[in-house]
Amino acid sequence: MNSSKAASYFTDDVTYYDASVGKPVTGKDAAKTGVIDNFLTAVPDAVWTMKGDPIAAGDKVSFEWEFSGTNSGAWADGTAATGKSFKFTGASVFTVKDGKIATQSDYYDALGFYKQLGLM
């Protein structure tokens, strides 16, 4: 996965919300660095797979996904790599503006994720 390519789908003023963090990040660079790069550094073999067909209504798109990989790198907050593999499902809601993602909100079982990593 290429973080620059992934970030290219965002508007410059995107708002990215991760429910497990609770505070959104604003701006393409912040989303790339604070979210995408963080996950790809901690999980270089990350696989993010859409499950089923997306649901679209107006300027919103939503779909369920599965995220998996091995935590072989450190997290941006300084949490050391656990070396453990994980797999969990979640869902995202996107608002699209001029063909780009203007908002992205991710909802998933963070507790189950942290337990798989052995952090809880």
Side-chain angles (χ1 to χ4, degrees):
M1 187 181 287
N2 178 311
S3 65
S4 294
K5 183 175 181 182
S8 75
Y9 295 103
F10 293 140
T11 61
D12 289 340
D13 61 347
V14 67
T15 298
Y16 194 120
Y17 175 73
D18 179 328
S20 74
V21 175
K23 181 181 177 191
V25 297
T26 303
K28 184 191 297 189
D29 292 338
K32 179 189 175 296
T33 304
V35 181
I36 301 168
D37 287 341
N38 179 30
F39 271 96
L40 292 182
T41 297
V43 187
D45 65 345
V47 177
W48 192 53
T49 307
M50 185 167 56
K51 296 177 64 173
D53 294 327
I55 301 166
D59 64 353
K60 300 248 188 230
V61 176
S62 183
F63 59 84
E64 195 174 24
W65 44 260
E66 181 178 85
F67 187 67
S68 62
T70 303
N71 177 211
S72 58
W75 296 93
D77 68 0
T79 302
T82 64
K84 296 185 184 230
S85 295
F86 62 86
K87 182 188 294 187
F88 62 92
T89 58
S92 294
V93 179
F94 306 87
T95 303
V96 179
K97 180 180 176 185
D98 299 325
K100 298 221 176 206
I101 298 168
T103 65
Q104 178 172 343
S105 299
D106 295 340
Y107 304 93
Y108 57 92
D109 177 12
L111 180 59
F113 175 43
Y114 298 149
K115 284 182 176 180
Q116 288 181 61
L117 293 180
L119 299 173
M120 296 190 88

